[in-house]
Amino acid sequence: MSSTDAPSRLLVRDLAQVVTPASAEAPLRGADLGRVDVIENAYVLCEEGRIAAVGRMSDLGPLEGEVEELDGRGLSALPGLVDCHTHACFAGDRVEEFSLRAAGASYEELHAAGGGILSTVGATRAAGEEGLRDAVRRHREWMLHAGTTTLEAKSGYGLDRETELASLRAIEAEGGIPTWLGAHAVPPEYEDADGYLDFALAEVLPEAAQIAEAADVFLERGAFDREQAKRYLEECRDAGLALRLHGDQFSEQGAIPLAVELGARSVDHLEATGDEGVRTLAGSDVVGVMLPVAALVLGRPMPPARALVDAGAAIALATDFNPGSAFCESLPLVASLACTQLGLSPGEALGAVTVNAAHVLGRADRKGRLAPGYDADLTLIAAPDWRHLAYHVGGEVVAAVLRAGRLEWRR
Ligand code: NIG
Ligand code: FE
């Protein structure tokens, strides 16, 4: 079957395992996060882009009418992976900075010296909307090959009206879920963050709010402070956007209390989060999104994932795919890091890159589970035990990917 065929019915048969988070809740918390249902020798029947049935091969009766088949022998089916935090819309690269960091320079020093995010801003402004679409398409293709079927992507490397809006349009046109990261850094043409926010909120927000689903801010020393973040997020909320924050990456600046106060969907990073932050987040509806590749690449402490889950917080995991702190599109690698560095089980890692990530994107009613009625997005793992998702570190663990009941890619 070629990838352009879109059968109305597709039977993925003879799968070694079909695996899905067990609880029907969203987001999953506590012990529910790690509970998975595993069906051995199983099938998934897709109809009109949705899952029609999941079960054992031995229980599969004769199917009337035309049905295409996909041989799942030796493979395990998972819900299509959901990457709820990426910066996939950028031009150029930062391989030079990577080399400088390898020689000892710090990320924050490079940022303060006008490198880092601002060097990507220059390349992104020069790319034009077509160039940005090409970039998002290329990055999305990499993610697909790593098993990602749903991705969020942020603007934030334009920081002028034209490039921010072009970024959001490019993300949407290439099938991503756009987030306006209008407060990522202060661009060089503004002297201070308040002046830049005056411009962004007056000139960019009205149109950005028509394209984006959420707004995001980098709340950190050297970027935006708590008051500035609050002002930005409140105006974005009033314009109808869901709220996200980059918080506690290098230092605690009040991101978690602010996220709770404003009813944000998520607060992301959390490498610097202490005990009080863990308690506050656990007592709220805000999801803690952890990005272990960024912690690894920047040599930061890993975020307190175990403590958060044990305290009852809702957590998700994502790549943070970006040219500076995490040039990595692989959620399987994130799952490996979750199990080896964050103290999570394979089941908890699975819940965090499926149901809970879908919840952060407001799509937990359609994505993140293999159950009748959900979108027929499947990631097929190249092993008869689904835990190879995390066990195979950096390996070619994805065998094939289906979106809306159609085979999009196979190795
Ligand atoms: O999530 N911390 C802020 N933003 C990104 C990195 C962006 C970059 O370095 O280009 C992050 O890690
Ligand atoms: Fe990020």
Side-chain angles (χ1 to χ4, degrees), residues 85 87 94 107 117 157 184 218 246 249 269 294 320 322-325:
H85 181 139
H87 303 253
R94 304 241 289 279
Y107 181 82
I117 294 170
Y157 293 118
H184 196 194
F218 187 18
H246 281 69
Q249 182 179 10
H269 270 293
D320 198 20
N322 75 71
S325 64

Side-chain angles (χ1 to χ4, degrees), residues 85-87 90 94 97 101 107 111 115-121 154 156-157 181 184 216-220 223 246-247 249-250 268-269 271 291 294-295 298 319-326:
H85 181 139
T86 88
H87 303 253
F90 64 86
R94 304 241 289 279
E97 172 187 320
R101 277 194 281 115
Y107 181 82
H111 182 68
I117 294 170
L118 292 178
S119 74
T120 300
V121 169
K154 303 169 197 299
Y157 293 118
L181 179 50
H184 196 194
D216 199 341
V217 56
F218 187 18
L219 172 44
E220 186 58 72
H246 281 69
Q249 182 179 10
F250 298 100
D268 305 34
H269 270 293
E271 289 92 320
L291 312 161
L298 299 184
T319 61
D320 198 20
F321 176 77
N322 75 71
S325 64

Side-chain angles (χ1 to χ4, degrees), residues 55-125:
R56 289 182 189 284
M57 284 306 293
S58 55
D59 295 336
L60 178 65
L63 295 171
E64 304 291 316
E66 207 186 315
V67 186
E68 290 211 41
E69 295 193 352
L70 185 64
D71 181 1
R73 277 177 296 178
L75 309 179
S76 307
L78 302 177
L81 306 180
V82 178
D83 200 340
C84 67
H85 181 139
T86 88
H87 303 253
C89 188
F90 64 86
D93 66 42
R94 304 241 289 279
V95 66
E96 190 55 38
E97 172 187 320
F98 177 79
S99 303
L100 291 172
R101 277 194 281 115
S106 86
Y107 181 82
E108 283 182 290
E109 281 161 15
L110 291 162
H111 182 68
I117 294 170
L118 292 178
S119 74
T120 300
V121 169
T124 301
R125 286 178 175 180

